[in-house]
Amino acid sequence: MNTIGPETKTTERILITGGGGQIGTDLSEALAKKYGADNIFCSDVKFENTIRDGIHELQLNVLDESNFERILEDNKITTVYHLVSLLSGTSEKKPLLAKNLNLNPLLFLLEKAKAKKIERIFWPSSIAVFGKGIPKHNVSQDSVLHPESVYGITKLAGEELCRHYHDAYSVDVRSLRFPGLISWKAPAGGGTTDYAVEIFHHAIKNQLYKCFLTEYTALPMMYMDDAIEATLALMSADPNAISVRGSYNLGGVSFTPKEIANEIKKHFPDFTITYEPDFRQAIADSWPSSIDDTPAQKDWGLKLKYQLPDIVNDMILHLKKP
Ligand code: SER
């Protein structure tokens, strides 16, 4: 068996929820490398109970609290990366499921941490917390938050819960407002920024992509490698260095569908993009085009490696491999 060995000696025992999703696929490998595969319990509703590359894979529906509790206890979990979420497009269509799935398991975990059953939680928030009343560019950490999507409303409520459980009960919960994430290992699903992942698969398959946003819709995006680095840096930061206990802004890089298409054309000169905006355009229009992440840089050293040309090069390199 090809087990991923630890770089860091640890007593941490880590549970990932939504481990088969876009973030979880990359994060589980990175955590296994850092903490040792045997300390990683990667769960997903679609997994079977098995071992993969030394990582424990577990079947878990996070709405099933008794199974959730049993998994935490049986495996002596200390830290949870709680990634399960319904993204913006799907949340708008299934608001009740979005409310239940995006908030109930987070609250369940915050209660477990309050009762000292677990030590630390990571929870992803999103640029979707921004909405009415924001400047379009360089939106600051302390900007007003009036989200205009069901998804954004659940993420804002989650941020407020995280802040409250930290301030009132000293729960060590840490969070990042992810921009659109671009990666090749696992598909995105149900989000407004998914076009920036889909576009690569279509470019490679038939050099043609119909985009569901307009050509001028600039949004903040980030390559998964940078998102994973940021997550690991935040989670290993000194608790006293963390000044934001709601969720940190992450700026990434900002570009439009037209700009990414032009970059892809450098690799596939015949690539063609057409635009047919759907209901996700209104969601995208409510989000900022760029974000200021100075507090994350100052508090725990956020750094960005991948600009748009690097992202496009790396995506095509990996997706073209047979
Ligand atoms: N990528 C997410 C979405 O589009 C935003 O956090 O829903």
Side-chain angles (χ1 to χ4, degrees), residues 213-219 255-258 275 281 285 289:
L213 299 179
T214 68
E215 62 191 302
Y216 299 117
T217 310
L219 288 171
F255 55 81
T256 62
K258 190 175 176 153
Y275 302 93
Q281 184 65 45
D285 286 343
S289 348

Side-chain angles (χ1 to χ4, degrees), residues 105-121:
L106 173 63
L107 196 50
F108 166 85
L109 286 170
L110 291 168
E111 278 289 306
K112 292 289 162 213
K114 176 183 166 189
K116 309 264 180 268
K117 305 269 188 205
I118 52 175
E119 290 168 15
R120 191 170 291 177
I121 301 167

Side-chain angles (χ1 to χ4, degrees), residues 260-284:
I260 192 172
N262 285 343
E263 202 59 45
I264 290 173
K265 274 187 196 166
K266 293 181 186 164
H267 299 258
F268 299 101
D270 294 334
F271 176 63
T272 307
I273 183 166
T274 60
Y275 302 93
E276 210 171 288
D278 69 11
F279 73 100
R280 287 168 283 192
Q281 184 65 45
I283 298 176

Side-chain angles (χ1 to χ4, degrees), residues 248-262:
Y248 277 97
N249 274 9
L250 284 190
V253 289
S254 292
F255 55 81
T256 62
K258 190 175 176 153
E259 283 164 341
I260 192 172
N262 285 343

Side-chain angles (χ1 to χ4, degrees), residues 153-168:
I153 292 164
T154 64
K155 287 295 180 187
L156 177 55
E159 286 191 9
E160 292 299 322
L161 285 170
C162 292
R163 192 196 325 273
H164 177 63
Y165 272 72
H166 172 265
D167 293 353

